[in-house]
Structures are given as C-alpha cells and as structure tokens.
Amino acid sequence: MSFPILSFVTFLPLLGAILLMFIPKDKKGALYTISLAVAFITFAVSLLLYFNFDAKTADPQFVEKGAWLGYGINYHLGIDGISLFLVLLTTFLMPIALLSSWSYIQERIKEYLIFMLVLETGIIGVFLALNLFLFYVFWEAMLIPMYFLIGVWGGKRRIYATFKFVLFTMLGSLLMLVAIFVLYSTYFKATGTYSLDLFDYYQMGLNPGLQIWLFLAFSLAFAIKVPMFPFHTWLPDAHVEAPTAGSVILAAVLLKMGAYGFLRFAIPLFPDAVTKFLPVLVILSLIGIIYGGLMALIQKDIKSLVAYSSVSHMGLVMLAVFSLNLEATEGAIYQMLNHGLSTGMLFLIVGILYERAHTRLIKDFGGVSKQMPVFSAFFLIAMLSSVGLPGLNGFIGEILCFFGIFSSSRLFAILAISTVILAAAYLLWMFQRVMQGPITNEKILSYRDINKREIGYLVPIVVMMFWMGIYPQTFLRKMDASVTQYINRIKSKEKVFVLQPKSPADKPVKAKETKPR
Amino acid sequence: MKDIFWLIPFVPALSTLILVLFGRKLPKKVVSWQACLSVFISFIIALISFFSLLKTPPESYPIVKNLFTWISAGSFSANLSFQFDPLSAVMALVVTGVGFLIHVYSVGYMAHDKSYTRYFTYLNLFTFAMLILVLASNMILMFVGWEGVGLCSYLLIGFWFEKHSAANAGKKAFIVNRIGDAGFILGILFIFLAVGSSEFTAVNQAVLGGLIARGGATLIAILLFIGATGKSAQLPLYIWLPDAMEGPTPVSALIHAATMVTAGVYMVARMNLLFTFSGTAGNIVALVGALTAIFAATMALTQNDIKRVLAYSTISQLGYMFIGCGVGAYAAGIFHLYTHAFFKSLLFLAAGSVMHALSGELDMRKMGGLRKYLPWTYPTFLIGAIAIAGVPFLSGFFSKDAILTQAYAQGQYFVWALGLMGAILTAFYMFRLIFLTFHGKERLEPEAKKHLHESPKVMTIPLAILAFFSIVAGYIGLPVVLGKKVNIFQNFLEPVIPPASEGHLSMGMEWTLILISVVVALLGIYIAYVFYLKRPGIPHSIVRRIPGVYKLLYNKYYVDEAYNAVIVNPLIKGSEIIYENFDLAVIDGALNGSASATGFFGRALSALQTGYVKDYVLVFLLGAVIIVGILLF
C-alpha cells in the first residue's frame, strides 16, 4: 500500500496538538511556531492531493480502508471532486486563521492552539470519511473544540452563544445518528451483512416511506449546519461571540459541512424523499437568500451583518444544490469555496478592526479609510468578492448557480438574483458607514494601518480570489467527473437493490421494491 | 496586424497593475506619464486596428480573438474572447481617444490632490474595463466590463470619500446600477437557454435563423434594456447620475458623459437584430428614451449647479441616443453617442476649468461675466454649447437631426415631438448656463475673485482639441438628403447595423424637418438670451407666477424622496420589524423558552436554560439508543 496521504492530512494536526501539550504554556513563540509549521505542512501535503488527483475518475481516490471495530464499522477515507477543494480550503485557511490569532488571543494560548488543530482534524475527517460511523465520529468530534473556542475565547455573551450553538447542532446530529442506525439495520436485514459503507448504501433501494423519515433526520442536521432558514439564529450569535479565527473557520468551512452533507449523504441516499421535499427545501433556500439579505441590511454589529450575509449566500448555495443539475452543483461547490474565501476574509477584516477599536458596532466607526488606506484596499476587495464582482471569484460561482437554477426554474432564478442587489446594498452601506465619511470618533486617529503580518495572511486570499475569478478551469475541471456521477446517481430513478454488497465494483442487481414493514 | 486589437484593453490594465503594486513609491511625474501614455498606446493600437479593419472585407467581420475558455460547466460556457468590427472600432476609438485627452487634462486638474496616484489607478482601471466592455465577443465577458466600469464609477464618484455626500453618491450609483444589472443577468440567462451560447455572432444567427420566438425576443430585449436604463441613466433608474457629480470633474466628463453611461446604448446597438426583430422592445426603448430626454431636460432648467445642469443634459442626450436605437436608426444613435462624447466631455472639462478658476465654485449664481478672465475656457465652452444645442454645421446638429428625422420617418410622431420639445429645452438651458456663467454682471465671491486665473496648458489644450472635434466630427455623417454616399459613418457601420427600413420621406419633408430643428435650436437660444441677458427679470416673474411648477422642477420632481419613501425606508423598517419580531422573538424565543413561546416546547426548553447542556445531551442520547434498540431488534 502506498503512503496513506489522507490519514496523514487528517491526523497531522491532531499529532501537532498532542505535541503542543508538551510545550510550556508561556512559550508563545514555540507554540505558534509548532502549530503554524503543522498547519503549513498539512497544507503542503494536501496540495499533493490536488496535483495527483485524477480528474477523469469519479470515484473516491487515495482510498484508505481497513477494519476497525467490526460490524461494518470500518476506517474508510477517500476524496473525490466534491470534497477535494473543501479539504484544500480547510488546509489553506488554517495557517491564515492561526496567523490572525497572534495578537488577538492573549490568554491560554496553548489551549487555544491545541483546540484549533484538533478542530482541523475534525473538519478534514468529515470531508474524507466514507464510512457513516466514522463520519459521525468526526462530525461530533469537531463540535468539542468549537464549543471551547467560542466558550473560552469568545466575547461577553459567549456562554449563551455556545449554548445555542451546541443545542442546535446536537439536536440535528442526534437525529442523524438515529437515522444512521436505521440505515444500518435496514441494510443488515436486507443482506445479512453489516455495513456502514456509504457506497453500499448508495446501491441500496429504500422504500419511499422510510426514505422520508431518514431524509428528514439527515436534512435537519445538515440544514442547521448550513444554516438554512429558519434554523439560522445560532449563527449570528456564534459569530459575534467567537474569536476572529473561530469565526473564520466557522463561516469558511463549518457551514460548508452542511451543504456537503446534502451532496454526499442526504440527496444521493434518499432521492425519492428529495423529490418529495424539493418544494419545501427550495422555498426555504429562497427565503434564506432574501431574508438573510434583509436582515444583514439592518444589523448594527459588523460581525452579525457578515453572519446574516452568510445566511443569504448559503441560501443561494442550497438553492443551487436543490436544482439538481450539473451546472448548479458545480456552481454550488464553487460558491462554497468563494464564500469560504470572501466571508473568511471579511471576518479577518472585522477582526483587524476589532483589535484596534475593541468594538464592532458600525456606529462607532466612520472614515477609517483615511487612517488605514492599505487596510481599506483589502476590505474593498473582500467586499467586492462577496458582492460577486466579475473578475473576482464570487462571480463565477454566482453565474453558474444562477444558470443552473434558471435551467430548473425561471421563477426561482428571478427571485434568487435579488441577492445581487441586496448584497451590494448591505455591504456597500456598511463599508460607507465604517470606512468612508469624515472621522467623527477621535479614537480612530490612533488606529495604525495593517502591519506586515496582517498583510501577509490577507494577500494569499486575495491572490486566490483573483485566480478563481480569472481562471476557474483550475478548479472546475477537477469536479466534473464526480459531479456528473453524482447527478447521474440521483437522476437514475431506478430502484435498485443490492444482493451481494461485497465490493462497490459489482453491478447492483435490480430487485423489487422492499415493502414497508 | 489584423488581430492585435485584443491588446487594446491590456495596456491600461498593465498600467493599473503597476500603479497598484508600486504606485505609492513612484514619483508623481512617472505616474502621470505612465497613466496617460498607456491610454495613448491603446489609442494607437485602436487606430492601427481600425485601418486594418478598413482593409478587411466586411464578409469576414467580426474579427475574433479567442484567448482561452474562461468558465465552463456542463452546457454553460464563456470564453475570454474579443471581437473587432466597425461598432467596436468606433467605441474603442472614442474611449481611448477622448479618454486620453481626459487623462491629460486630469494631470493639471488633479495636480494638487493628495491621492493623485489613486486617482490615476482608478482612471486606468476604468479605461481597461470600458475597453473590455466594448471589445468582448460575448455577453458574459461584456458583463465583466459592464460591472468593471460600474466599480470604477463607484470608486471615482466616492473619490473624496471623506465627504458624506460623495460616499453616498458612489454607493447609490452602484446599488441603482445593480438593479439594472439584475435584469441584464436575467436577459443573458434567457439568451443562453435559447441559443446555447452568449457569443454575439451566435445570438445574431439565432435571431436571423428564427430560433427565438418573437415573444421571447421581446422579453430578452426588455430585460437587457433594464440593464441599459441603469447604466445609461434612463427612466426610472436615472437617479444616480446627478449625484455622481460628486466625483472629480474629469471623471464626470469621461465616465458620466462620454463613455460609461453610453454603454447601454452600445449594448442595445450591439443587439440591434434582437431589438428590431422584437419590434415591441424597440418601441419601448424609443418611448423611454423620449420621455427621459424631455423629463431630464426640464430638470436641467432650474438647476444652479453648473455640473448638475450638465448631468441632466447628459441624461437627456442619452435619451436621444435611445430614441435613435428604438426607432431602428441604431447608426444614428451611435453617431450621436460619438459626437456627444466630444461636446459633452468638452462641456464638462470646460466646466471643470471654470471651477478650477473659481477655487471650486459650482454655483452659477456666484459666477457671471467670466468670459474676459477665461480666454480659452469661454470660447471652447461656447463651442460645446452650440454643438449640443443643435445649431447647424456643428457636430451635435447632424447627429440629433439624424435621430429626429428617423423618428419622424418611422412614423413615431409622438417620440419625434417629445424629442423636438427636448431640443428647444436643451438649447435654452445650455445658453442659460453660458449667459449666467460668462456674461452679465459679475457675482463672484471676493475671495474667489482674488485667485481667479485661466487653467494651465495641460488643461486648455485638451479643451481646444475637443472643441475642434465638436465642430468637425459631424461631417462624416451628413444627412441622407445630401446623397446616400455622404453618410460615411452609417455606411461604415452597415456590416453590424443593417440600415433602418427606409422611411418614406420626400426631399421636401426632409428639408422641412431640418429647418424645424434649426428653428427650434435658435429659438431656444434666443429665449435664453432674452431671459438672462436682455430682461433678466423675466425668470423671477415666471417663478413668482408659477411657484408650484418651479418648486417641482427645482426639487427634481421629488423622485429621490419618493423612492426613499416607497422603497428604501419600508424595506429597512420592515426588516427591522421582522428582525425584532421574528428572528429575535419567535425563533430565539422558542429556543430560549421565553414568554412568547408557550406550551410544551417552551417549557421543555426553558428547563434547559439552567445551562445543563450535558443533562440534555444525555437524555437525548438515551432516547436515541432506545429508538435504535427498538428498530434493530
């Protein structure tokens, strides 16, 4: 067997976290050096995934599979065109998030860094796991560091925010756990074999009645994570209270796990239920787009404004996901990456402001551009990326999403395009109030412009924004095969049932629908 | 040499890049030279491409240069590819030619500004985006330019962002434009679905080949036109342009008069087959154009701010261009675009020169009698005013007359009549401006008078050049009544724009129409002369007699106020109400078990508010295990 690259990428951060435990907590330099080194190596190794990724193969690559606990609970990792860039996004942003923490996090630095690295392992694991049990383990494991990151290093109302965050997420994921067990038992009853392998489940035809309940359970977990309207209220609170790096990772990567869950599990596993619930899901997504935009318009806190903008943007992603066609799905994945970059950067920007002002209320600012011209340029780029200005990344995702949505439904596309106007309105208005106009608050005169470290971690994001906006082929072509297969999988309405689930290569044998019990 | 044209946009792009990366370290002189030179090089490449285009047989138009596949996914694809044909050539020459002169003028105008480099960075970026817009070979890439110029407009209107009004105007321009853009994107999507491509050649073939139904064509054309009303400041989205005058004056000249605002006209002309095929859409375009032309002209009558008069005049003139396009005389519309680029940028730059002389004064009530102090600015301003008023033998006369004649010939008498009324108003308000500014009593502030001076050569020479073109530019588009061959402009555009279906006008009728235009122009000037020079009491007595009308015009029909009251405020108030009563009260209320969420759910959750998340999780986990157990066995 070749080098287990996926395991390496997944667990290197965890190893780094363990290593950190042996470093004295007052050695800030050493702690940061190690965690940054770990994050950078993880990123570098994950780049190998990109370069060695075979764009022609739809199935997972670099697969690692081994027995673990028995009874179908296997260790099974793999990466395909859907998860590839989400993993890269995570490994790309982690060093940036760590760099941004240097001056922001002043206490319990050691624990903080440990949690950040553990979080990375959890997130990457979620994107790579192909065994449902393993997936669930990562899904839940990732909650723990996040819980502490907000709860310990958060703002004034951090306990409330953490409580809300955990409550919402737990609610969803426990139902998902039940659904996973139901799947497990159904599979066992049908075949006499234990399996939690996602690809075994793909080939299993479930009766539509059962699908509905399972789909609802899975969907709830994912919809809360996205978050879709009306499960979104945990997000603004979590964001407002989280430390900068926590917000960055939360917005850029954690939310994507919800959308990813739909693409990987909820939709391909339960295609009949999807068809049934499509109208509801589509309408919730649409409400999310418009509602999120309107709410963003009136927020007084910059962070909660950006949080509501996430609700709106992710609404578009979900609407594209539910359009169930190739263009929209690639657009949705692309838009997830865009949102990761643009919103991640916006949170970094807000963090930079906060470090100087110790406030995030829009009314406390005004005229900052004059005092911080370089910062202003970065803020502008982040904003324009989020608005979807052509030439930057956001546009590619938006136009593909719009096109895909439009192919499915004219009306929905027309409604969704309102995001183009709303996004410009809430972001530009905020930018005006914070950055432009005369300086009214004297404290602003003491802000210094961003330093080299801050420029250093913003520049890579800007470079990626332009790259993704000007030459998207780099990214889109790697997705083709997997997304096509995904679309075919849900489009083929035939109900198939597996008799011999030995290896995924075996052709599934068609069988009669199972009767509801 | 045939396909070097695609380099035209990239020279200013390179300059922008250099200014962004190293601009802060470069001396002012280098910045000025580089910025101007890059546009000049573009202009030269455009000229070379133009001449090589003349040598290319029209059958092989457009010349296409495909760089690479830009976006593609499934059935969606867009190339980074450019095309060159007579229409793009005209636009590219106008953008780089006028753009270059305005760059040069800016060197003088902005000389003392702190953010000199930032200014030229934006200006170069704008030139790049505008050239992408006019050279793109498909609608998606065109949209890139479209949004790019919008961005630069935002940045340059808000250039002095420390001023609330400037920051506000920039934001307003961007958001209002986005409303139009939403329509534009939808139009593109419809085209894509119908044609399977957004390349202009493919779209044109689809229209000619009957692939698009007439109803579909109308829908698409109207959606695209919504985009145009945003960018080209037509009813009902024109409201951003007057405020855009907050930007530096050369910006007003380049972006908000000569080039960017004409993008909508260019787009409609580019899609002329579609608009003509639809018919209905063409009529709508003509009507909106005519209404805008007269509506904006009435607002220009009462403004005291010299730049605002010019802004309303621009909106009005853009209306004329749309009349041309709407009645099927696309070539006449583009012709007016081209002459307007000269005389309107001249007017703005000359106004800038007046401001420069008066230390930034904009209010015409504080001017008067300036003609003897500004020996260069005055005559050039006057030439611009004569040209726009439609006095014979200057460029504006030929182009405006071509539009109105065509409107009449196509039987659009209502549109023609509106246009004619607009013309008389145009002549009137332009000469009101001239008389108030340069003639009559001096009403200068003493402080301003002390510093009164004519602008430096770097500003007056561009004025002189533009004045020259304002006079002669029209001679390549002489009226058809003088012979078919003399309208070189229209013949040149013919491969892109098939001439309008021949209106049946007799020679006599044509001459009559021309005569009417002339009379109208002269009448407008004469009235202005009487009102503002001969009997300056008249305007006041009119205001006294009809104070309501005056107030209505002076306050621009209260359109901004109406939009705020009907759209903006309800949206914000409504969102606030929803936020407080739904997001905070219902959803969170349910979660928190606050008083608003009663019943089991509320009680169950309020028990959890003690914070014992662990207990809760434990209970839930237990429940889950029990359910699983039941299901498994």
Side-chain angles (χ1 to χ4, degrees):
Chain A
M1 203 180 156
S2 56
F3 177 68
I5 186 166
L6 293 183
S7 296
F8 187 83
V9 170
T10 312
F11 291 106
L12 186 65
L14 187 64
L15 285 176
I18 293 169
L19 183 62
L20 284 183
M21 289 178 186
F22 299 102
I23 308 290
K25 64 179 170 195
D26 50 351
K27 294 210 164 143
K28 188 178 174 188
L31 289 166
Y32 267 98
T33 312
I34 291 174
S35 47
L36 273 172
V38 167
F40 273 118
I41 295 170
T42 312
F43 175 56
V45 176
S46 70
L47 279 181
L48 292 178
L49 289 174
Y50 175 85
F51 291 115
N52 294 319
F53 187 86
D54 179 5
K56 291 188 193 70
T57 314
D59 291 320
Q61 303 178 32
F62 310 101
V63 173
E64 293 168 30
K65 197 170 180 181
W68 184 22
L69 301 177
Y71 300 102
I73 301 175
N74 292 326
Y75 181 77
H76 188 181
L77 298 180
I79 196 166
D80 70 355
I82 296 173
S83 52
L84 174 64
F85 291 107
L86 293 170
V87 172
L88 285 174
L89 181 70
T90 314
T91 58
F92 171 74
L93 284 174
M94 193 48 87
I96 292 172
L98 290 175
L99 272 172
S100 78
S101 310
W102 175 262
S103 53
Y104 191 98
I105 301 297
Q106 299 290 358
E107 50 189 28
R108 296 170 190 260
I109 295 166
K110 178 174 164 180
E111 290 83 353
Y112 173 82
L113 293 172
I114 290 175
F115 282 128
M116 285 295 278
L117 290 177
V118 172
L119 182 65
E120 184 173 12
T121 290
I123 296 167
I124 297 176
V126 165
F127 290 134
L128 293 180
L130 296 175
N131 182 289
L132 266 76
F133 186 84
L134 188 63
F135 167 76
Y136 191 78
V137 168
F138 280 124
W139 179 271
E140 290 291 289
M142 176 228 73
L143 265 182
I144 300 163
M146 204 62 215
Y147 172 84
F148 283 108
L149 283 172
I150 304 177
V152 176
W153 291 272
K156 287 194 197 82
R157 292 170 72 231
R158 57 179 184 269
I159 301 300
Y160 171 72
T162 323
F163 172 75
K164 211 161 155 185
F165 169 67
V166 170
L167 195 64
F168 261 102
T169 325
M170 277 288 187
L171 188 77
S173 46
L174 283 168
L175 284 175
M176 181 166 78
L177 180 65
V178 176
I180 291 175
F181 278 117
V182 175
L183 270 174
Y184 183 63
S185 73
T186 314
Y187 189 85
F188 179 72
K189 280 187 180 149
T191 62
T193 332
Y194 293 113
S195 174
L196 279 158
D197 188 313
L198 179 64
F199 286 83
D200 288 345
Y201 288 174
Y202 276 165
Q203 296 171 10
M204 175 167 61
L206 291 163
N207 81 61
L210 186 61
Q211 276 197 29
I212 287 176
W213 292 108
L214 296 177
F215 177 73
L216 283 179
F218 270 88
S219 295
L220 186 67
F222 299 143
I224 288 171
K225 205 65 146 196
V226 168
M228 286 174 71
F229 179 90
F231 308 111
H232 62 275
T233 60
W234 65 269
L235 187 70
D237 283 314
H239 270 314
V240 169
E241 300 309 323
T244 300
S247 283
V248 171
I249 297 298
L250 182 61
V253 194
L254 255 61
L255 307 188
K256 309 304 172 302
M257 289 169 29
Y260 172 80
F262 275 103
L263 289 172
R264 179 70 81 212
F265 302 98
I267 295 175
L269 282 177
F270 317 111
D272 291 318
V274 175
T275 330
K276 203 155 282 167
F277 284 105
L278 210 50
V280 182
L281 295 165
V282 161
I283 286 166
L284 288 182
S285 309
L286 267 174
I287 295 177
I289 294 175
I290 295 165
Y291 189 85
L294 289 175
M295 293 303 107
L297 209 50
I298 53 146
Q299 293 305 310
K300 297 184 173 72
D301 180 305
I302 309 177
K303 253 190 164 179
S304 63
L305 187 150
V306 180
Y308 273 106
S309 88
S310 285
V311 175
S312 181
H313 278 103
M314 289 308 288
L316 181 65
V317 168
M318 292 321 295
L319 186 60
V321 165
F322 295 130
S323 296
L324 304 178
N325 59 45
L326 179 74
E327 295 85 357
T329 308
E330 288 198 359
I333 299 171
Y334 210 81
Q335 193 61 3
M336 284 192 231
L337 306 177
N338 294 335
H339 178 259
L341 293 181
S342 61
T343 309
M345 183 155 159
L346 279 173
F347 278 123
L348 289 169
I349 295 276
V350 182
I352 290 171
L353 266 182
Y354 185 78
E355 278 182 46
R356 283 152 178 81
H358 301 286
T359 171
R360 281 182 304 255
L361 293 180
I362 294 172
K363 69 172 168 56
D364 293 340
F365 295 99
V368 178
S369 282
K370 207 169 164 51
Q371 192 66 24
M372 303 171 70
V374 180
F375 170 75
S376 169
F378 282 103
F379 196 165
L380 187 72
I381 293 172
M383 175 178 87
L384 294 171
S385 161
S386 188
V387 166
L389 193 89
L392 290 167
N393 55 347
F395 175 69
I396 311 287
E398 273 186 11
I399 195 82
L400 285 177
C401 286
F402 289 150
F403 181 79
I405 296 164
F406 190 80
S407 313
S408 300
S409 159
R410 310 286 147 82
L411 179 68
F412 296 151
I414 291 169
L415 292 171
I417 280 176
S418 64
T419 178
V420 165
I421 304 164
L422 280 173
Y426 59 73
L427 281 171
L428 264 66
W429 192 27
M430 182 263 281
F431 188 78
Q432 183 196 350
R433 286 176 293 169
V434 173
M435 302 302 288
Q436 303 181 319
I439 296 179
T440 44
N441 182 347
E442 273 180 20
K443 283 184 203 145
I444 293 174
L445 293 170
S446 68
Y447 299 174
R448 49 189 170 71
D449 209 339
I450 48 176
N451 59 34
K452 289 211 171 91
R453 173 179 59 88
E454 287 159 335
I455 293 175
Y457 64 70
L458 292 177
V459 164
I461 304 182
V462 171
V463 170
M464 286 313 294
M465 284 174 171
F466 277 98
W467 185 352
M468 291 183 70
I470 294 168
Y471 199 71
Q473 297 287 61
T474 320
F475 309 91
L476 288 171
R477 292 295 72 82
K478 300 261 178 186
M479 298 175 191
D480 285 340
S482 298
V483 175
T484 311
Q485 190 196 47
Y486 158 80
I487 293 295
N488 290 340
R489 185 170 283 142
I490 51 177
K491 287 284 168 198
S492 61
K493 294 260 172 176
E494 301 160 312
K495 305 212 164 31
V496 289
F497 194 67
V498 171
L499 292 177
Q500 294 166 301
K502 283 290 182 295
S503 79
D506 287 345
K507 281 224 172 100
V509 183
K510 282 180 200 169
K512 299 253 156 50
E513 245 179 68
T514 45
K515 287 265 180 296
R517 281 174 296 135
Chain B
M1 294 305 243
K2 231 173 76 177
D3 55 4
I4 56 162
F5 70 89
W6 67 273
L7 291 168
I8 300 171
F10 290 103
V11 189
L14 183 69
S15 171
T16 311
L17 194 67
I18 295 171
L19 289 179
V20 167
L21 295 178
F22 312 109
R24 301 178 136 246
K25 296 186 188 99
L26 293 175
K28 239 177 176 176
K29 248 207 170 109
V30 177
V31 172
S32 346
W33 272 95
Q34 184 199 314
C36 297
L37 203 63
S38 69
V39 182
F40 187 68
I41 293 171
S42 282
F43 177 63
I44 297 297
I45 303 175
L47 266 183
I48 296 169
S49 312
F50 169 71
F51 285 115
S52 89
L53 187 75
L54 288 180
K55 281 184 232 139
T56 319
E59 296 77 50
S60 52
Y61 292 171
I63 305 164
V64 176
K65 175 82 184 176
N66 186 0
L67 295 186
F68 57 81
T69 305
W70 178 36
I71 319 173
S72 91
S75 56
F76 183 90
S77 87
N79 291 339
L80 200 74
S81 88
F82 298 97
Q83 75 174 37
F84 203 65
D85 63 6
L87 184 56
S88 320
V90 170
M91 294 301 292
L93 285 170
V94 168
V95 172
T96 52
V98 176
F100 168 66
L101 291 176
I102 294 173
H103 270 75
V104 172
Y105 176 97
S106 299
V107 171
Y109 191 86
M110 299 299 286
H112 306 296
D113 200 280
K114 298 182 301 292
S115 308
Y116 190 78
T117 310
R118 183 162 61 94
Y119 175 82
F120 279 101
T121 312
Y122 292 166
L123 216 56
N124 268 186
L125 181 65
F126 168 79
T127 313
F128 165 61
M130 190 67 204
L131 288 167
I132 294 278
L133 197 164
V134 299
L135 292 170
S137 82
N138 61 60
M139 306 207 69
I140 308 280
L141 189 60
M142 185 194 205
F143 188 70
V144 176
W146 188 271
E147 290 287 282
V149 292
L151 166 69
C152 296
S153 166
Y154 163 72
L155 294 172
L156 283 163
I157 295 170
F159 184 73
W160 291 306
F161 56 79
E162 304 97 304
K163 265 170 50 191
H164 268 310
S165 53
N168 233 336
K171 177 197 65 185
K172 182 174 173 185
F174 197 87
I175 296 173
V176 172
N177 265 296
R178 277 255 149 173
I179 298 172
D181 294 346
F184 193 35
I185 294 178
L186 275 175
I188 296 176
L189 292 179
F190 269 106
I191 285 184
F192 227 109
L193 217 65
V195 183
S197 163
S198 73
E199 291 288 324
F200 293 123
T201 43
V203 176
N204 284 343
Q205 265 163 16
V207 174
L208 292 175
L211 255 142
I212 304 176
R214 201 172 297 269
T218 303
L219 178 68
I220 294 170
I222 289 174
L223 286 170
L224 295 180
F225 183 59
I226 291 175
T229 57
K231 192 109 304 184
S232 296
Q234 297 294 292
L235 282 171
L237 297 180
Y238 70 92
I239 46 161
W240 63 271
L241 187 58
D243 291 3
M245 297 302 123
E246 290 288 341
T249 307
V251 168
S252 309
L254 179 62
I255 302 186
H256 306 116
T259 55
M260 182 190 84
V261 287
T262 62
V265 182
Y266 165 75
M267 190 260 288
V268 172
R270 176 57 76 200
M271 306 304 288
N272 68 78
L273 292 180
L274 186 81
F275 280 85
T276 307
F277 175 67
S278 152
T280 318
N283 291 337
I284 291 172
V285 171
L287 192 65
V288 171
L291 289 173
T292 309
I294 186 116
F295 186 68
T298 57
M299 286 187 281
L301 297 176
T302 56
Q303 299 303 309
N304 292 317
D305 179 318
I306 190 166
K307 279 182 78 184
R308 291 219 168 212
V309 174
L310 293 176
Y312 283 110
S313 151
T314 303
I315 299 174
S316 175
Q317 296 301 310
L318 288 163
Y320 282 97
M321 298 174 205
F322 280 113
I323 295 178
C325 294
V327 301
Y330 298 94
I334 294 292
F335 187 43
H336 196 54
L337 183 162
Y338 148 87
T339 59
H340 178 258
F342 293 116
F343 58 69
K344 187 51 71 58
S345 53
L346 168 61
L347 287 169
F348 266 116
L349 294 186
S353 180
V354 171
M355 286 168 65
H356 194 78
L358 295 177
S359 325
E361 186 57 65
L362 281 160
D363 192 336
M364 293 190 291
R365 288 170 298 191
K366 295 177 184 159
M367 297 179 186
L370 287 176
R371 99 193 106 142
K372 54 181 176 290
Y373 301 107
L374 305 173
W376 280 94
T377 308
Y378 172 63
T380 49
F381 208 133
L382 189 64
I383 290 170
I386 298 175
I388 193 176
V391 172
F393 314 118
L394 273 80
S395 60
F397 165 74
F398 296 113
S399 55
K400 198 186 286 180
D401 182 62
I403 289 171
L404 290 178
T405 307
Q406 279 293 331
Y408 189 90
Q410 299 296 329
Q412 302 257 25
Y413 303 121
F414 180 61
V415 166
W416 174 77
L418 286 179
L420 213 57
M421 274 158 62
I424 193 168
L425 295 177
T426 307
F428 175 78
Y429 67 67
M430 273 325 296
F431 276 83
R432 169 179 176 264
L433 188 154
I434 290 280
F435 295 143
L436 281 177
T437 310
F438 293 103
H439 295 255
K441 261 203 322 236
E442 280 178 29
R443 301 177 297 275
L444 306 177
E445 302 269 342
E447 191 57 30
K449 178 144 192 200
K450 243 188 278 169
H451 303 287
L452 190 58
H453 63 287
E454 177 61 295
S455 303
K457 281 222 172 62
V458 71
M459 288 164 71
T460 50
I461 291 173
L463 288 182
I465 297 173
L466 286 169
F468 173 73
F469 281 104
S470 299
I471 299 171
V472 303
Y475 288 91
I476 57 168
L478 295 177
V480 190
V481 72
L482 297 173
K484 276 257 171 231
K485 291 258 166 62
V486 294
N487 198 334
I488 303 168
F489 192 83
Q490 186 175 327
N491 296 339
F492 175 59
L493 284 180
E494 214 175 288
V496 192
I497 299 169
S501 54
E502 214 45 57
H504 301 291
L505 286 186
S506 62
M507 287 287 266
M509 195 62 223
E510 293 236 2
W511 281 113
T512 315
L513 288 175
I514 290 175
L515 198 66
I516 294 175
S517 295
V518 175
V519 169
V520 154
L522 295 176
L523 189 67
I525 297 173
Y526 179 71
I527 300 172
Y529 168 72
V530 174
F531 275 31
Y532 293 97
L533 283 186
K534 218 167 156 211
R535 300 231 196 104
I538 296 181
H540 290 288
S541 68
I542 293 179
V543 170
R544 262 200 306 279
R545 209 165 304 157
I546 42 167
V549 176
Y550 175 75
K551 233 177 133 192
L552 187 67
L553 292 182
Y554 187 73
N555 290 302
K556 307 146 221 164
Y557 298 100
Y558 298 98
V559 173
D560 277 316
E561 288 79 1
Y563 280 173
N564 277 335
V566 177
I567 302 169
V568 180
N569 293 339
L571 211 60
I572 289 172
K573 281 269 139 48
S575 302
E576 272 166 0
I577 291 169
I578 298 172
Y579 178 63
E580 272 151 29
N581 294 310
F582 188 70
D583 241 46
L584 296 186
V586 178
I587 304 180
D588 282 9
L591 184 80
N592 299 341
S594 69
S596 65
T598 48
F600 167 75
F601 200 53
R603 276 199 303 279
L605 286 166
S606 66
L608 295 168
Q609 262 217 313
T610 47
Y612 297 122
V613 178
K614 268 184 297 183
D615 293 354
Y616 167 70
V617 171
L618 205 68
V619 171
F620 213 127
L621 204 62
L622 224 75
V625 170
I626 293 168
I627 296 171
V628 170
I630 294 167
L631 285 165
L632 273 177
F633 306 103

